[in-house]
Amino acid sequence: MAAALAGYAVASGAARFRETGDSFPGLPTSIGELVGHFTATLAGAGCLGGLVFIVITARPDERGLLDADSFRVHLLAERIAGLWVLTAAAMVVVQAAADSGIPVSRLVSSGAIGTAVGASELARGWVAVAIFAAVVAAVLRLTVRWIWHVVLLVPGLIAVIAIAVTGNAGQGPDHDYATSAVIVFALAAAVLAGMKISAVIAPPRDDLRRRVLLVEVMAGAVGLVYGGLLLLLLTDPGSLLHSDYGRLGLLAAAVLLITWLVDVTRLRTRAETRRGPVGAVAMIVFFAAVAAMAVQTAPRLLSHRFTAWDVFLGYELPQPPNVVRLLTMWRFDVLLGLGAVVLAALYVVAVVRLRRRGDAWPPGRTVAWLFGCLALLLATSSGVRAYGSAMFSVHMSEHMALNMFIPVFLVLGAPITLALRTLPAAAADQPPGPREWLLWLVHSPVSKFLSHPATAFILFVGSLYAVYFTPLFDTLVRYHWGHEFMSVHFLITGYLFFWGIIGIDPGPRRLPFIGRLALLFAVMPFHAFFGVATMTMTSIIGENFYGQLDLPWLSSLLDDQHLGGAIAWGSSELPIIVVVIALVVQWTRQDRKLATRTDRHADAHYDDDLDAYNAMLQELSKTRR
């Protein structure tokens, strides 16, 4: 396949560079860019999909160590991760040379690699890929425990999407839709390809084939939907058949569709025959077509006349915000907005299933969860996000909702408890399933560390200052993937913090109620100081981005920042009140339960016997020592 891509690079020559007015860097560099992109992205897919394959098929022992079949996939992922790191590191230089329009040899001899990498967004993306892929490779080399393969999914998925969000999807009109779509598409395609490759190396057992096939069908369906959306956003009807980009896109779609139809047929007919390498080969062809598309400029971007709004937002904001526009100007986030809808639907399905079984579920938890999902949908898909990407004040409203308001209601929904009560437990002779995975994850050292009050406090407070009072915000606010990253980060850190204070779900070792209340009030001065500091600053946070965006109806960036600081200062009171009320209610209920239990034991004359029994155990313990 690499030879075929090299042949395509030779045949296309300098055409794809001339289309954008760039200099041709020479045939070796052009071939290296295409073949290197294919090799690195396929290696990343094999590694990420291998991790998913291990997580859903492993039968770890009581120490959490992988079984023999999963260990074979672990070895495959470990070796692929090494290739991933090396190829991504090489692509940093190759991409910088290609974007600069000079051969790799000339760039290396000139000593200007750092400058060229700094000027190339794609080269900087490859730097991120190399770093996170190196983390995956190093940890895979050091451990064979199941829980760490779950943890490695995070750096793995970041490395997979790092290049996808810096390519065509992150540019031009509607790039907010395209960026969110390409994140989901890249992950779905990587999981599908990696699982098919892993299934060739270590065919799943009979009791696991259907599970693997079900995940592949779901990944294929998601890849088809989001891939089709990307084609619509990056091409036009005329360019589908009359451009290399369009024809390659149709080829990739056809391969993915045929692969998915075969998987669906096998799933419906419950075919038990072992699969050959055909599916894996098909996904290699798919990634070759996608790589050939990725090194070209999308047709829509070639024919479009760019404005500042196209570059920085992807859409126009001709009028200032008001209540009506904040509620009605929807740009549905196909990543987080759809995630909110899916989370709400899954919760409702679980509650209905629980009630049909005859078990009760407190309606207050359902209301809290659905309200949190609705607020998440509004914060990420309504005019709040549309204007929040362009104005610091509205962005701060979005931040406070994601970090302090929405997590409170999601925590009160007790999703882990609901899942544990709804999901069936695996029988002794069956492989572990979602319920067992969830229990292992909740009680793992990683979860205990992240949910520890000190860790949660540092993440909750520290990230606020680390993002806004460092140059990090200048980078994140410039790109739509940066907005998505901030949304996910603030949502998770808020959830971890409030989980330790008012969480109903099992997991972290919580402080006494007095300690939780003290921890809650300890946060308030930090938020107040942040708000006051933002209100009194004379320098502008994110000045490069907001200055270049130059909204015609925003007269003063500094006044808008001061308004954002006031919002950060004043909007924290409502969620704090909700948390205090929830904490007091939980405290009162626990006292009532304890009093009831004590009275019941006293009425039954259990206290004296229990005290004598405990004293006996203490004496026995001393004697044994």
Side-chain angles (χ1 to χ4, degrees), residues 402-403 459-460 462-464 467 484-495:
L402 290 167
N403 197 220
L459 289 174
F460 187 70
S463 59
L464 181 67
V467 168
E484 298 288 66
F485 173 82
M486 286 190 287
S487 298
V488 173
H489 171 76
F490 289 129
L491 188 65
I492 292 176
T493 55
Y495 190 96

Side-chain angles (χ1 to χ4, degrees), residues 63-116:
R63 296 173 297 173
L65 301 178
L66 299 179
D67 58 291
D69 291 339
S70 299
F71 181 69
R72 293 169 60 188
V73 182
H74 169 90
L75 289 177
L76 173 67
E78 182 183 332
R79 291 161 184 165
I80 292 178
L83 174 64
W84 193 11
V85 175
L86 294 176
T87 312
M91 280 299 296
V92 174
V93 179
V94 174
Q95 192 69 63
D99 290 347
S100 301
I102 59 177
V104 171
S105 58
R106 181 180 169 188
L107 177 62
V108 173
S109 62
S110 68
I113 295 179
T115 303

Side-chain angles (χ1 to χ4, degrees), residues 306-485:
F306 282 78
T307 65
W309 278 339
D310 292 329
V311 174
F312 296 111
L313 293 179
Y315 52 90
E316 296 183 355
L317 290 175
Q319 296 176 315
N322 55 34
V323 175
V324 174
R325 295 189 186 103
L326 289 175
L327 294 177
T328 59
M329 186 177 174
W330 280 69
R331 293 189 68 84
F332 183 73
D333 191 321
V334 295
L335 174 61
L336 298 179
L338 185 62
V341 175
V342 171
L343 288 175
L346 290 176
Y347 195 96
V348 171
V349 169
V351 172
V352 171
R353 182 176 180 180
L354 203 63
R355 290 185 179 276
R356 286 180 178 175
R357 201 171 63 193
D359 296 332
W361 182 255
R365 297 181 184 178
T366 304
V367 172
W369 179 266
L370 294 180
F371 182 80
C373 290
L374 177 61
L376 177 59
L377 178 64
L378 290 173
T380 57
S381 300
S382 68
V384 175
R385 165 57 69 85
Y387 280 94
S389 299
M391 297 177 62
F392 184 83
S393 58
V394 184
H395 167 79
M396 191 51 60
S397 302
E398 179 188 358
H399 162 84
M400 297 302 294
L402 290 167
N403 197 220
M404 294 197 68
F405 187 74
I406 297 171
V408 171
F409 294 94
L410 296 182
V411 166
L412 292 175
I416 298 176
T417 302
L418 178 62
L420 292 176
R421 292 184 60 183
T422 306
L423 295 171
D429 58 339
Q430 292 180 336
R435 191 176 190 277
E436 287 72 29
W437 304 335
L438 185 58
L439 281 172
W440 294 340
L441 187 59
V442 168
H443 297 294
S444 69
V446 177
S447 296
K448 291 180 181 178
F449 171 76
L450 291 176
S451 59
H452 190 278
T455 306
F457 179 85
I458 293 173
L459 289 174
F460 187 70
V461 174
S463 59
L464 181 67
Y465 291 86
V467 168
Y468 293 103
F469 289 166
T470 67
L472 182 61
F473 184 74
D474 290 325
T475 299
L476 295 178
V477 76
R478 165 65 179 84
Y479 304 102
H480 183 72
W481 62 261
H483 289 281
E484 298 288 66
F485 173 82

Side-chain angles (χ1 to χ4, degrees), residues 530-538 558 561-567 569:
F530 172 81
V532 172
T534 307
M535 292 170 60
T536 56
M537 289 176 63
T538 56
L558 195 59
Q561 178 175 303
H562 292 167
L563 176 59
I567 291 173
W569 184 22

Side-chain angles (χ1 to χ4, degrees), residues 15-87:
R16 62 187 177 92
F17 295 93
R18 284 198 300 264
E19 287 179 336
T20 56
D22 295 329
S23 302
F24 182 52
L27 197 56
T29 301
S30 177
I31 294 175
E33 180 190 15
L34 181 52
V35 175
H37 193 289
F38 163 71
T39 306
T41 52
L42 183 61
C47 193
L48 181 64
L51 291 173
V52 174
F53 188 91
I54 292 171
V55 168
I56 68 172
T57 63
R59 298 171 183 259
D61 60 16
E62 63 277 0
R63 296 173 297 173
L65 301 178
L66 299 179
D67 58 291
D69 291 339
S70 299
F71 181 69
R72 293 169 60 188
V73 182
H74 169 90
L75 289 177
L76 173 67
E78 182 183 332
R79 291 161 184 165
I80 292 178
L83 174 64
W84 193 11
V85 175
L86 294 176
T87 312

Side-chain angles (χ1 to χ4, degrees), residues 172-173 298-307 310:
R300 186 184 181 188
L301 303 182
L302 291 173
S303 60
H304 185 76
R305 298 185 63 181
F306 282 78
T307 65
D310 292 329

